[in-house]
Every structure is written in structure tokens, then in C-alpha cells.
Amino acid sequence: MNGKPTRMFMDDPNIQWRNGKPDYTKADEVYLQGRTKHHEVGSLEEIVSNIIKTFEMEAQHKVRAEDFGIVTSDFKMNTNGGRYFTIPNLIERGTYNLFLDDSPLYDASKETRESSDNDFKTTFPDGFSWEVLEVIHGPPKLVFTWRHWATMTGPFKGNEPTGQLLEMYGCVTADVSPDNKLQCVHFYVDANPFISKLRNDRCPLMH
């Protein structure tokens, strides 16, 4: 058991990719080295992890809604009880802008998909990994906790890199269809301390 993630819905030759079919070799190495949980093969945690990693892959790299396989046709998502977004919104605006939509330290309204992707790829050239910590309740009403982490080896909007390991923790509740597709996803996270460290604020905003 090596715990390497399984990302589904990547093999259809008709998929239109944003910048070609992604290669996750390096990203998986970073994930395996930095994760804090080692879930058993076939466990609910591993199944949920693969579902979310598939969603993450599709949201980042696919450019047509019809190519998304891990979500239902009426999919929607929000963060911290804010406004809902659909797959077309996700394709246009990008994951970072929707995920950080309500952060007072990150004005997503002034960012494009391209600018936000470039910012985070520049800041985290070795990847921005994500793991499931604990599944509290299984489908169809899914509840789980998660951890996002990366080492700041590049600058963020002119702020010098610190070389620091940055971590973000949160929770997800989601409605899942009988065939394990995401229908409605609610992210809960306080991203302000994380963004504050990216900005090198002397007094990080905490809640």
C-alpha cells in the first residue's frame, strides 16, 4: 500500500484539457511525503480522498462542463455559507477565486483565473497538497475534515518567500449521489491566517 491517489475520468480521448492532460507524478510525490494520514485501501477515507482529488483535477484542468465526471449536472458549491457557484463559474473563475471568495485579505473580485493560478503556482512551485483527515459521516450526507499545505518557496504578490510550511484546515459537508458524484459541496475554512502569512503580515489576522 503506497496510498497514491486515484483520479478518475481522465482517459476519455475527447476531453478538452486546459493545458494538456496533467501529469501528477510530482504532485503525488509531494502529497505522499507530506501527508499526516495513511488511510487503508478501500476505506471510506480513501474513497472520499479520491473523489475530492478527482474534483480538484477536473476543476483545475478541464475546460468544458460536459467533461466533468465526478459531479452531477446540477452541481453547486459555496464557502462559509456564501453565494453558490456552478461548474461554468468554476471553469471561468478558477478554484482559488471561488474558494477564497469571502476572504477580507484576498480580493477575488480583482483576480482572473489566470492571475490567481499564476500567483499560487509561483508561490508554491512544488505543489499545494491536500488530504482528508477524518470522515465524520459517509455518503449520501458526507462530512469530513481536511488539511491543505505547502512550503512557501516563491514570492506572493511581491512578498518575499519565507521557506515556511503553511497549513490550512477546514471541513466539508456534501450531498453525494448514489453513484458517488458530488451534487452540492459546502466548504468551511478560515483562510485569513494562511493568507496573512503569504502577505508576511506582522500581526496575522486570526479568528
Side-chain angles (χ1 to χ4, degrees):
M1 179 185 71
N2 63 11
K4 182 179 178 181
T6 298
R7 297 173 182 84
M8 301 163 276
F9 306 108
M10 294 186 69
D11 297 330
D12 187 335
N14 295 315
I15 293 173
Q16 289 189 12
W17 299 102
R18 186 171 302 279
N19 294 298
K21 185 176 179 180
D23 181 353
Y24 279 94
T25 302
K26 181 179 179 180
D28 286 345
E29 290 177 356
V30 173
Y31 163 74
L32 293 172
Q33 292 171 2
R35 63 181 173 165
T36 61
K37 299 292 183 179
H38 296 72
H39 303 305
E40 293 294 328
V41 173
S43 65
L44 185 55
E45 283 78 9
E46 186 199 45
I47 293 171
V48 171
S49 179
N50 287 335
I51 289 174
I52 301 301
K53 284 189 176 293
T54 297
F55 172 71
E56 186 178 48
M57 173 273 296
E58 294 191 315
Q60 192 67 25
H61 296 286
K62 293 183 178 182
V63 298
R64 300 188 306 183
E66 58 263 38
D67 289 334
F68 281 63
I70 203 63
V71 300
T72 60
S73 59
D74 58 345
F75 172 85
K76 59 183 180 180
M77 59 169 277
N78 70 359
T79 300
N80 295 334
R83 56 180 170 165
Y84 281 101
F85 297 103
T86 63
I87 291 300
N89 299 142
L90 194 57
I91 292 171
E92 178 185 3
R93 297 289 295 150
T95 53
Y96 298 117
N97 288 330
L98 302 196
F99 187 68
L100 298 172
D101 183 58
D102 72 337
S103 173
L105 299 183
Y106 184 86
D107 191 350
S109 67
K110 295 181 179 179
E111 302 290 341
T112 65
R113 180 190 182 101
E114 290 73 23
S115 69
S116 62
D117 283 355
N118 181 69
D119 281 342
F120 284 93
K121 286 179 181 178
T122 298
T123 305
F124 305 130
D126 296 324
F128 191 10
S129 297
W130 177 96
E131 68 174 333
V132 167
L133 295 177
E134 179 184 8
V135 176
I136 299 169
H137 194 281
K141 295 291 186 180
L142 181 63
V143 182
F144 65 91
T145 56
W146 53 265
R147 168 181 172 254
H148 232 328
W149 77 95
T151 300
M152 188 182 180
T153 55
F156 181 76
K157 292 186 176 298
N159 296 296
E160 291 300 314
T162 63
Q164 182 180 7
L165 175 65
L166 304 184
E167 298 175 292
M168 185 190 314
Y169 294 85
C171 176
V172 161
T173 65
D175 294 330
V176 181
S177 69
D179 54 349
N180 281 342
K181 293 188 177 183
L182 299 170
Q183 183 174 17
C184 184
V185 178
H186 307 279
F187 292 95
Y188 297 96
V189 61
D190 179 5
N192 294 321
F194 186 90
I195 298 298
S196 183
K197 290 178 181 178
L198 289 178
R199 292 162 27 126
N200 292 331
D201 291 340
R202 292 187 176 182
C203 297
L205 178 60
M206 305 294 288
H207 291 283

